[in-house]
Amino acid sequence: QVQLVESGGGSVQAGGSLRLSCAASGHTPATKYLAWFRQAPGKAREGVASISPRGDKIYYHDSVRGRVTVSRDNAKNTAYLQMNSLKPEDTAMYYCAAGLKSLGNELIEGAYFYWGQGTQVTVSS
């Protein structure tokens, strides 16, 4: 089992930045893929970014590539999502996920075993 707790969400104006954190605990979180997903009201949850256990394989959704950076600190069992140049369409609940079931599905919601409770990001125009 892996427990995930997100933090760092908030309200910002368009063009601003936020850094989300995902603190992992439990069974060997440092050996697991970590990912960030988001869900806006009335929309399906979508993958934003994922990072392999060693940080050498990173994937981004096309809508955030160039504005978002995912990273992890395995010594702290924490993953980060640095978001810059935020847009109103980035408004969503952001979730951390861990434990990829199979390679090739790094940004697919159903591909992860463990989920956090989410942190809200609101971007105003």
Side-chain angles (χ1 to χ4, degrees):
Q1 284 282 357
V2 174
Q3 293 77 42
L4 304 169
V5 178
E6 303 94 334
S7 62
S11 297
V12 296
Q13 290 190 329
S17 298
L18 282 174
R19 188 176 84 152
L20 307 184
S21 298
C22 171
S25 61
H27 185 62
T28 60
T31 67
K32 294 178 171 55
Y33 261 83
L34 292 171
W36 289 94
F37 287 75
R38 67 185 181 185
Q39 187 168 22
K43 294 188 177 181
R45 192 173 297 188
E46 66 178 7
V48 176
S50 70
I51 184 167
S52 60
R54 295 183 179 181
D56 57 336
K57 294 182 176 62
I58 290 175
Y59 300 92
Y60 293 107
H61 191 277
D62 287 345
S63 65
V64 302
R65 187 174 290 113
R67 301 188 295 119
V68 164
T69 302
V70 62
S71 61
R72 65 191 294 165
D73 183 341
N74 286 339
K76 297 181 179 180
N77 286 331
T78 301
Y80 305 96
L81 189 70
Q82 177 68 45
M83 302 189 294
N84 301 321
S85 302
L86 283 163
K87 305 176 182 180
E89 50 264 44
D90 293 318
T91 295
M93 184 71 79
Y94 282 71
Y95 299 90
C96 181
L100 183 65
K101 297 175 184 177
S102 60
L103 295 177
N105 297 303
E106 287 79 359
L107 294 181
I108 304 299
E109 179 185 1
Y112 289 86
F113 284 108
Y114 309 108
W115 291 85
Q117 294 300 306
T119 186
Q120 178 68 38
V121 171
T122 302
V123 184
S124 58
S125 58

